[in-house]
Amino acid sequence: MLKDINLNAMNHFEAVARLGGISKAAEELGVSPSAVSQQIRQFEQQMGVRLFKREKRRLSLTLDGERLFQTTTQAFRMMRDVRSAIQRQRETRHFILRVSPSFAVRWLSPRLKSFLELAPNWDMRIDAAPDFSDFETEVVDLDLRYGEGGWTGLNEEPVVHDLVLPMCSPGYLEELRELSGDPIGQLRQARLIDSVKTHYRWDFWLARHGIMGERMIYPMRFDRSSMAIQLATDGAGVVLESTTLALNELERGALVPLSTAFEAIRFPAYWLVSPARHTSRRIVRIFSDWMREEGAAHDARAAALITSFGCRIREQRGRQLPGEEYLTE
């Protein structure tokens, strides 16, 4: 039975057979060569067979020794692998973040490398999902939420502002200018692309600007900003969208503001949200500090870009039209 086997002696046997000598085994095990030799003798006595042939001060495995070695070395290798895995798991620290899908792909992912350099030993998991975390039933450290704030019972901090304005491709803008020289007239002729889960939608924006009429329809509706932005980039219409998510397209000229006559609405859009008890966690503090710096740099970059187009920026804090339900982006 297994309890009758001297596991210490087996360990010495495996080391000698694997390394090819008593001295090397003794060095690995941290014992004297004589101690290794004694363990080998005891193990051979216990097994009732010779495990090594001793010829001219050299050791080689007998047939029985070879059979035993194949089994023991595999077992010890598996045990070492499991031990290493357990140690790595113990040393690895976990951070779980939930974030809205479009923001995760377009804004967060390109910046993650710099965060990982700050926390190289952390195992990071990101759930790109539109639903907010239920911190009482789910294992999540932090939410990076899109919205207007006001989540009861949770600690919240705005870290990225958004700038929203009508945008389209340069080619589509030229088509609209051929139809009308008036920005409002251009909108009346345009195909409007609607992002149905954004904070500012076309119906709210058009009403705020007094632009109404039978032609003001938006047949293209998407529940992901990335899809709406891509369609506008392809020249299919005008999108009322986030410069945070469309910053790359604006910087390389694939998208342009529809008109400098329309202000960009600026508001706190992306928030760090968690129970107050989570804010004391080291990784949450590290990520929060990093997000503040990245968010501030982004806000300055986006504002400079929009003003370079000649557009004005108007600060706004508030909901959509009364009665409209807020949806996550």
Side-chain angles (χ1 to χ4, degrees), residues 291-304:
M291 272 300 305
R292 292 184 194 101
E293 293 182 5
E294 292 292 330
H298 164 83
D299 286 353
R301 175 181 166 189

Side-chain angles (χ1 to χ4, degrees), residues 190-207:
R191 179 190 292 114
L192 303 185
I193 302 169
D194 190 25
S195 292
V196 301
K197 292 186 177 181
T198 56
H199 190 62
Y200 286 96
R201 294 182 60 190
W202 275 118
D203 46 8
F204 170 74
W205 190 92
L206 293 170

Side-chain angles (χ1 to χ4, degrees), residues 8-9 14 17 20 25 85 99-100 104 132 140 153 157 198 249-250 262 277:
N8 187 45
E14 190 274 339
V99 58
S100 60
F132 296 156
V140 179
E157 177 188 359
T198 56
E249 286 80 1
L250 287 166
F262 302 129
R277 63 182 182 273

Side-chain angles (χ1 to χ4, degrees), residues 131-147:
D131 301 322
F132 296 156
S133 298
D134 183 345
F135 290 101
E136 299 306 317
T137 61
E138 297 180 273
V139 181
V140 179
D141 292 298
L142 196 62
D143 268 14
L144 187 47
R145 293 185 180 180
Y146 174 80

